[in-house]
Amino acid sequence: MKNYFPKDFLLGSAAAAYHNEGAFDQDGKGAQVADVLPHSPNDPRTEKPEEGNLKHLGVDFYNRYKEDISLFGELGIKAYRTSISWARIFPKGIEDVPNEKGLKHYDDMFDELIKYGIEPVITITHTGETPLYLADNYGGFLNKEVIDFYLKYVDTIVRRYKDKVKHWITFNEINIADRQPFFHLGVDTRKIKYDDQAKEQLNYNMFLANARAIKIIKEIDPMAKVACSTALGPSYPYSMNPLDNLKAYFDNRNGLFHTDVHVFGGYPKWKIKQLESKGIKLDTNEDELKDIRENTVDYLAFSYYVSGISKFNEEEFDSTYSNQISEIKNPELEYTEWDWPVDHVGLRILCNVLWDRYDRPLFICENGFAKIEKLEEDEDGNLTVNDDYRIRVLRNHLLELNKALADGVEVIGYTNWAVEDFVSGTTGTMRKRWGFIYIDRNDDGSGSLNRYKKKSFYWYKKLNETGLDYLFSDDYLSE
């Protein structure tokens, strides 16, 4: 198979501040919503940060970033997608003056990445990173005043890092934020779960925040490229029944609602009709709508983990949890320990759909495979993880991405989830491991925090060294 990846393709890896940084109260950092969610984001929060929340230490990337970035350099990645912790810069979110220690940390971290030829791809605020003070005292992003605090933060960091960061992502997986509103945006879940008016207003507020962030970024650095991350995956009809196909059409259309607004600058007609039929009137004004219309994304950043199944009559089916896409199992696919389907062909389908619909470059900013793992000795007596399964899954996805490139799709980057093990966002544990680098920390908090290279580390390193030519080698598991 021919290699269709462009020479400037950003083959990299990813993480996020709240997953790996730790140091939750170090150097003036304030509390963020992840600090009061010790387990799954669907579980109840604690009133304040309490012992037992593994995110408070994470894997101590904040203090070990030089050690880790040295490993990233050895891995040879071209890009590192991560986030800036908002509460490190504005501890409560409302301050007039930013925390210089927090700003200096990211200056140093970006310099370290650039030293190794790694481009920082920065999410301005990731899931779980809304300052807790804004959640508890302002109600999070359901309150438009929080948008103004966010925009002050955007202005601060873009002015500071404009010479080091060229690819920005305003929010992470914003299209599923209304399903976990506290975790994503600091909004009381009860206000959204039982109130369609509040849910739709929250969506609108995020379109406004995204557009005005783009406007600020472009004013500061006209050459910057800006996107807003969504979690996407195609949904297939359950059967050849035309009603199942109709349901799949509606599910796929609904899944692209956020990207429609991000690219086209306004609500699609079907969504306007839907709001009218529910009697929902959004709090908007012409200046806000103008900003949404005129400040659209430069590229599409998205997570791809799973595909879904659509059935018109859902009374009888095998249920599974699959990252907010579908609750119906696909008998044609393998499933992970967490009941997530593994569908590499779905990535090619999705890339073609997005390219045909939007004509904007694509950036796959999350895609990966998690498994419960333990260290073992290799033939030389070194501790490692023989994760052939991760190599197979990532290789199959990248092969399908290569086919999408051959189809004519423009893709500028792929940063898999994740470069190293850290505290899982969906479980709050260490045992759900995603990385090329094993980090010795356990669910009970024990562990040395030592770093170990998995077998997949050396495979991905060779991909980077060969411009992905090694992707097409048949000996990828034999070495």
Side-chain angles (χ1 to χ4, degrees), residues 210-272:
N210 171 69
R212 288 188 166 168
I214 292 173
K215 184 177 182 179
I216 288 171
I217 294 168
K218 292 292 192 177
E219 287 172 350
I220 297 170
D221 182 6
M223 301 304 292
K225 302 298 182 185
V226 193
C228 184
S229 161
T230 50
L232 300 177
S235 194
Y236 311 132
Y238 182 80
S239 73
M240 296 184 70
N241 186 325
L243 290 176
D244 288 347
N245 195 58
L246 179 66
K247 180 66 162 54
Y249 177 82
F250 287 144
D251 286 346
N252 284 308
R253 185 180 70 173
N254 187 62
L256 296 177
F257 163 54
H258 285 75
T259 45
D260 279 354
V261 180
H262 292 157
V263 173
F264 300 135
Y267 279 39
K269 292 180 180 178
W270 69 265
K271 187 66 176 182
I272 294 171

Side-chain angles (χ1 to χ4, degrees), residues 325-371:
I325 299 292
S326 173
E327 293 184 346
I328 304 176
K329 270 195 169 181
N330 186 335
E332 301 296 326
L333 298 177
E334 296 180 6
Y335 279 74
T336 71
E337 290 165 292
W338 287 271
D339 250 356
W340 289 18
V342 179
D343 179 10
H344 47 276
V345 177
L347 179 58
R348 182 183 181 185
I349 295 169
L350 178 61
C351 286
N352 274 278
V353 168
L354 296 176
W355 177 248
D356 290 347
R357 189 180 184 95
Y358 300 119
D359 193 26
R360 300 283 168 98
L362 310 184
F363 196 123
I364 298 122
C365 57
E366 291 186 32
N367 169 246
F369 184 82
K371 191 172 177 62

